[in-house]
Amino acid sequence: MSDPFEIYKMYQALKLHFNTENYDYFKYNGKTKVSETAFQTNKDKYAFVKLSRLCSDTELPFYAAAYYQQKQKIWIRDLIGEEAQEIYKKWTKQQQSRMYFFKEDLCKLQDIDFGESLKVIDGQSPELLTMVYQGEISQDNFLIIDEILDLMNRWANKLDDFMFDMLRKQLLKYKPFLFMYGDLNVSEYKKVMINHLLPEKNTI
């Protein structure tokens, strides 16, 4: 069992990171101005005690990130619920097999013209982005592709799309936690992507 006060402090930083635009959990090293007095008098103190039993302080950032990816907000009472526990269980299982799921999504991209699927034409969402919206390509795998090709930054200059702006903000909040979990090796995924989508080329 983790120290409930430590969990409380981490939660406050994670809540600011995910629920506000200006706070960056990594930039500020998870630091916020909280006191033990505030914790002891908090009406949800019991929830932090329960959360400290559900996950360790090293797990909490990923636990919160997994829930945020699904719900786009985090609140302490939600995090101690069964749904949050199931979301984290499924998320960790997927991370443990993420190369398998990455290759599965690459196989879907083999069925289309991948180069064309990246293009913004007449301000319309590119095909790859539409596949992400529709859940055909997972957000996790899209973020890996984006890390390789820098798609969101390129699209941001061409798309005037409220849905894309919202998705981009959400993904950029979530992305560091995804890449930190298990030290995701982008170079390895880039090689696999080249072999699946550009078998006759050596570079992207």
Side-chain angles (χ1 to χ4, degrees), residues 100-130:
Y100 170 81
F101 290 114
F102 186 66
K103 289 178 179 178
E104 274 201 332
D105 276 359
L106 290 181
C107 287
K108 298 174 189 175
L109 297 176
Q110 287 177 326
D111 296 332
I112 64 174
D113 186 324
F114 181 65
E116 289 296 315
S117 78
L118 308 180
K119 294 180 180 180
V120 176
I121 301 174
D122 297 328
Q124 298 299 307
S125 296
E127 186 176 3
L128 177 59
L129 180 58
T130 299

Side-chain angles (χ1 to χ4, degrees), residues 49-187:
V49 173
K50 183 173 181 179
L51 186 59
S52 71
R53 294 169 178 159
L54 290 175
C55 60
S56 66
D57 52 2
T58 55
E59 288 179 305
L60 182 57
F62 304 113
Y63 186 90
Y67 189 80
Y68 170 78
Q69 185 195 25
Q70 295 292 317
K71 302 297 183 178
Q72 286 78 64
K73 288 284 184 180
I74 64 165
W75 304 108
I76 182 58
R77 296 190 188 189
D78 293 329
L79 291 184
I80 61 175
E82 290 185 6
E83 183 181 22
Q85 295 172 54
E86 285 301 313
I87 286 173
Y88 183 59
K89 182 178 179 181
K90 182 179 180 181
W91 187 84
T92 52
K93 186 175 181 180
Q94 289 174 334
Q95 301 314 313
Q96 290 161 7
S97 302
R98 59 187 168 197
M99 180 59 82
Y100 170 81
F101 290 114
F102 186 66
K103 289 178 179 178
E104 274 201 332
D105 276 359
L106 290 181
C107 287
K108 298 174 189 175
L109 297 176
Q110 287 177 326
D111 296 332
I112 64 174
D113 186 324
F114 181 65
E116 289 296 315
S117 78
L118 308 180
K119 294 180 180 180
V120 176
I121 301 174
D122 297 328
Q124 298 299 307
S125 296
E127 186 176 3
L128 177 59
L129 180 58
T130 299
M131 293 176 77
V132 176
Y133 285 149
Q134 296 174 346
E136 296 178 59
I137 301 297
S138 77
Q139 292 183 0
D140 285 5
N141 290 332
F142 172 68
L143 282 171
I144 296 172
I145 295 171
D146 177 71
E147 181 68 15
I148 297 168
L149 298 179
D150 194 31
L151 295 174
M152 288 195 288
N153 283 333
R154 288 160 52 186
W155 290 344
N157 297 323
K158 300 176 181 180
L159 283 172
D160 184 14
D161 181 340
F162 177 77
M163 282 183 61
F164 173 67
D165 290 342
M166 293 293 291
L167 178 67
R168 183 168 179 255
K169 288 177 183 178
Q170 171 201 335
L171 292 180
L172 291 177
K173 288 286 189 178
Y174 166 73
K175 182 178 180 179
F177 299 89
L178 172 69
F179 279 69
M180 187 170 62
Y181 188 91
D183 296 322
L184 191 150
N185 187 332
V186 176
S187 297

